[in-house]
Amino acid sequence: MVAFIPPSCCGAGYFRRLRRALGDRVSFRAVELPGHGRRYQEPFLTEAGPAVDDIVRQLDGPVDALYGESLGAYLGLGVAAALGQSRHPLLLAASNSPPSVRQRIRTEEVRSIETAVAALTEMGGEIPAEVVSDPELADRAYPLIRADLLLSQSCIDLVRGATVAGDIQVVAGDADTALTRLESWADHTTGRCEVARLPGGHLLSSSNPSGVAGVVLESLARWSATPERSAR
């Protein structure tokens, strides 16, 4: 089973196009945090520990791989460290710089929809312009964006020094200019770390679902063929 953790401000439905591209070739499980998607009525989580625990409860058992995009990459690293399963999962970390090289997000300066969008954009995130210009949309979006920025900083603090035993496959869009030092994801694993660059932007599963699907399948095939993994 492969678990998919969406980017900031997105619910499980974000992975609809990627799920179609993968078809029935993987057992697909998209998770959803409180305040997002179908869980929109639940209070937001702004601390990484409770968010990781929430995802672990949703999984309710071992996984072969975790695919996390943007904020989801850091949550995926936290979940991989927390699972404690004997068969270490593969982590596919997409659309984010390694937490070990991330600068602090100036969350204290986020006091309006404009500053929230600016902070998210600086990290590579994308918010439609009409969200800022439409007062009703802005009022609804601001609490979500601010909460996910706070969660992002908490995740950076949680996993900045984290190291897992499972392999890490980094996935990056070639038009995602916010990314830096992707090779330093290797600092977060005692296993293998490889970087794959694909055509596409920051929201990679949306802009290039077939390319992401190909990386997911190829990475799983390599992971399964590794003697230490397949013997378990």
Side-chain angles (χ1 to χ4, degrees):
M1 191 260 281
V2 182
F4 293 82
I5 309 172
S8 298
C9 308
C10 296
Y14 167 76
F15 288 119
R16 192 175 297 111
R17 296 185 68 196
L18 177 57
R19 187 167 196 164
R20 285 199 298 267
L22 286 166
D24 59 0
R25 290 175 289 181
V26 301
S27 177
F28 192 106
R29 176 68 181 276
V31 302
E32 200 143 56
L33 287 176
H36 300 69
R38 293 185 302 272
R39 302 179 69 184
Y40 71 95
Q41 292 183 319
E42 300 179 44
F44 300 119
L45 293 178
T46 58
E47 295 293 329
V52 167
D53 292 344
D54 186 279
I55 294 171
V56 171
R57 284 194 297 271
Q58 290 183 62
L59 298 179
D60 193 29
V63 298
D64 298 315
L66 297 153
Y67 176 96
E69 191 163 302
S70 191
L71 168 60
Y74 293 166
L75 287 168
L77 180 57
V79 170
L83 281 175
Q85 59 188 53
S86 59
R87 184 182 184 185
H88 302 296
L90 167 69
L91 173 63
L92 294 116
S95 301
N96 214 335
S97 302
S100 54
V101 306
R102 267 291 186 190
Q103 294 184 343
R104 184 180 176 278
I105 304 169
R106 296 186 295 276
T107 53
E108 68 280 357
E109 298 178 6
V110 177
R111 299 184 179 131
S112 65
I113 184 63
E114 291 82 7
T115 55
V117 169
L120 190 65
T121 302
E122 186 178 355
M123 298 174 65
E126 300 176 17
I127 297 293
E130 59 267 24
V131 171
V132 181
S133 60
D134 186 311
E136 186 176 345
L137 289 176
D139 284 345
R140 291 205 303 265
Y142 172 61
L144 171 61
I145 300 171
R146 183 176 185 276
D148 277 2
L149 287 169
L150 291 169
L151 178 58
S152 295
Q153 181 56 51
S154 183
C155 284
I156 293 169
D157 294 338
L158 179 71
V159 299
R160 186 183 295 277
T163 303
V164 295
D167 296 340
I168 296 179
Q169 173 65 62
V170 182
V171 193
D174 58 8
D176 192 346
T177 58
L179 302 181
T180 184
R181 295 173 59 184
L182 294 178
E183 70 284 352
S184 292
W185 271 104
D187 297 339
H188 297 283
T189 178
T190 58
R192 183 175 58 225
C193 179
E194 298 181 2
V195 178
R197 294 185 180 272
L198 303 174
H202 184 70
L203 297 178
L204 195 54
S205 292
S206 176
S207 61
N208 190 356
S210 60
V212 172
V215 172
V216 170
L217 294 171
E218 291 169 9
S219 301
L220 278 172
R222 285 196 303 270
W223 178 85
S224 298
T226 303
E228 181 183 354
R229 305 298 197 274
S230 58
R232 290 175 177 169

